[in-house]
Amino acid sequence: MIDNVNLYQPRSPTWCPGCGDYGIWASLKNAIKIMNWDLDKFVIVYGVGCSGNMTDFIMSHGFHSLHGRALPNAEGIKIANHMLNVVCVVGDGDCYGEGGNHLLHAMRGNSDIKVLVHDNRVYGLTTGQTSPTSPHGYKSKSTPLGVIEYPVNPLSLAITQGASFVAQGFAGDITHLITLVTAVLKHRGFAILNVLQPCVTFNKVNTYTFYRERIYKLDDKHDLRDREKALSIVSDPGHKIPLGIIYQVERPTYQDQEIVLQQGPLVKQIIKNPSEHADLLAEFSEVEKESYHMAG
Ligand SMILES: Cc1ncc(C[n+]2csc(CCOP(=O)(O)OP(=O)(O)O)c2C)c(N)n1
Ligand code: SF4
């Protein structure tokens, strides 16, 4: 077992001073410590963005994938070895825009992966363009007259599309965020935590003050299994913003229902007929050669 102290990689973050990404980074590291996970038993899959740059600041098994493609990579890892805990660290542009299609289908199957979204309502790394969660009318260099579309509501989307754990946190309240990230890591099934993360450099609308004036925490009386109530909370017309676990149910995961995995993780399974495997690989390498020649 690798000592968890290695989570504190000596390389310092390059995020702008005051960026909400620091709060998410601190919360994730603390939550991993609370879980006391053996570092060999989990992998973090990153998208591309300021959020994805976290790959350089946490020492763990990790995969820095493509913009919008963290979730399918995470699902692939989980299918190959479902004994691993698989966590995705992504941005709102990444997860709700370019990767939105992957999000829908991962949720439908209740794939056992955990998704932490840095929702700063802009494309941070590419210098502040409008993203899928930017508010209607938001002005940026990509929508100088104000964005025409209305924003994606990631929480109602998750509740209606089959996620079995849906929560929201705020990067400015790290103590609360640690409890939420820990709850995400404990959950079995598709878990999504949308973190309101101020981008202090490019988003001058959704600031720490903006959120502090609107957020409220769900209390212990909130029934996590009440789907209708959860939906009404996330579409509050009074523009109050809920924090906490909004919806959580237990149901079989994708991996629980895949009969091949009942014989153990794929990476440990013995290939019964190696020659079939070799034929398949040979066929693929022929196809690859042909497409190479066609492209050339
Ligand atoms: C396939 C692909 N499409 C687009 C890009 C360009 N790109 C890099 S980061 C980024 C936006 C990042 O925004 P977001 O996902 O919200 O993350 P943030 O930087 O705000 O954390 C884009 C469009 C890319 N690198 N790869
Ligand atoms: S550009 Fe925004 S999201 Fe990116 S590091 Fe700076 S403050 Fe954070």
Side-chain angles (χ1 to χ4, degrees), residues 21 48-51 67 91-94 98 118 120 122-126:
D21 286 352
V48 169
C50 297
S51 37
H67 188 65
D92 51 298
D94 193 324
E98 198 157 329
H118 297 222
N120 54 21
V122 287
Y123 285 173
L125 190 73
T126 46

Side-chain angles (χ1 to χ4, degrees), residues 15-22 24 50-51 92 118-129 131 138 170-172 195-211:
W15 296 308
C16 309
C19 174
D21 286 352
Y22 288 96
I24 304 174
C50 297
S51 37
D92 51 298
H118 297 222
D119 184 3
N120 54 21
R121 303 188 175 184
V122 287
Y123 285 173
L125 190 73
T126 46
T127 69
Q129 297 85 352
S131 87
Y138 185 79
F170 173 45
V195 186
L196 306 167
Q197 175 251 313
C199 167
V200 293
T201 302
F202 294 112
N203 189 335
K204 303 297 181 188
V205 175
N206 304 115
T207 60
Y208 286 97
T209 307
F210 172 93
Y211 287 119

Side-chain angles (χ1 to χ4, degrees), residues 36-291:
N36 200 24
W37 273 348
D38 177 342
L39 286 194
D40 283 342
K41 297 287 185 291
F42 77 94
V43 58
I44 306 178
V45 186
Y46 302 88
V48 169
C50 297
S51 37
N53 286 350
M54 196 189 284
T55 188
D56 291 330
F57 320 134
I58 287 191
M59 179 83 86
S60 78
H61 292 296
F63 187 92
H64 200 173
S65 69
L66 295 175
H67 188 65
R69 307 293 178 256
L71 271 64
N73 281 294
E75 287 186 276
I77 292 167
K78 190 76 190 178
I79 286 284
N81 186 355
H82 65 285
M83 303 316 276
L84 287 175
N85 293 296
V86 182
V87 181
C88 296
V89 168
V90 289
D92 51 298
D94 193 324
C95 190
Y96 306 140
E98 198 157 329
N101 186 20
H102 298 300
L103 173 68
L104 285 187
H105 299 291
M107 294 196 292
R108 262 181 347 115
N110 196 30
S111 190
D112 186 20
I113 57 178
K114 334 290 169 199
V115 182
L116 307 183
V117 187
H118 297 222
D119 184 3
N120 54 21
R121 303 188 175 184
V122 287
Y123 285 173
L125 190 73
T126 46
T127 69
Q129 297 85 352
T130 294
S131 87
T133 50
S134 305
H136 175 65
Y138 185 79
K139 290 185 179 161
S140 74
K141 60 184 76 167
S142 62
T143 56
L145 301 180
V147 61
I148 293 167
E149 295 101 323
Y150 286 83
V152 167
N153 182 330
L155 303 171
S156 59
L157 188 69
I159 295 164
T160 52
Q161 288 303 311
S164 51
F165 181 108
V166 181
Q168 182 155 262
F170 173 45
D173 184 346
I174 296 178
T175 310
H176 187 233
L177 197 53
I178 291 172
T179 63
L180 291 178
V181 179
T182 308
V184 168
L185 301 186
K186 282 185 181 157
H187 181 76
R188 279 194 89 250
F190 191 94
I192 183 162
L193 173 61
N194 189 64
V195 186
L196 306 167
Q197 175 251 313
C199 167
V200 293
T201 302
F202 294 112
N203 189 335
K204 303 297 181 188
V205 175
N206 304 115
T207 60
Y208 286 97
T209 307
F210 172 93
Y211 287 119
R212 287 203 173 103
E213 286 169 357
R214 291 166 177 79
I215 51 179
Y216 72 97
K217 285 182 189 152
L218 296 170
D219 60 26
D220 294 345
K221 290 191 217 94
H222 173 60
D223 178 0
L224 299 179
R225 301 177 58 83
D226 188 337
R227 191 169 177 273
E228 297 312 312
K229 178 80 178 142
L231 282 170
S232 75
I233 286 170
V234 299
S235 38
D236 182 354
H239 302 298
K240 285 283 175 202
I241 302 177
L243 296 185
I245 304 175
I246 294 161
Y247 182 66
Q248 184 174 19
V249 285
E250 276 175 39
R251 62 185 181 89
T253 67
Y254 182 92
Q255 289 75 21
D256 289 339
Q257 297 169 85
E258 174 48 72
I259 52 167
V260 176
L261 301 185
Q262 286 163 16
Q263 296 154 36
L266 282 187
V267 287
K268 299 254 165 86
Q269 289 187 30
I270 293 162
I271 298 165
K272 293 204 179 99
N273 189 344
S275 65
E276 261 180 30
H277 189 230
D279 290 350
L280 192 64
L281 283 179
E283 192 183 317
F284 271 118
S285 69
E286 281 308 313
V287 171
E288 203 178 315
K289 262 191 237 157
E290 273 169 32
S291 48

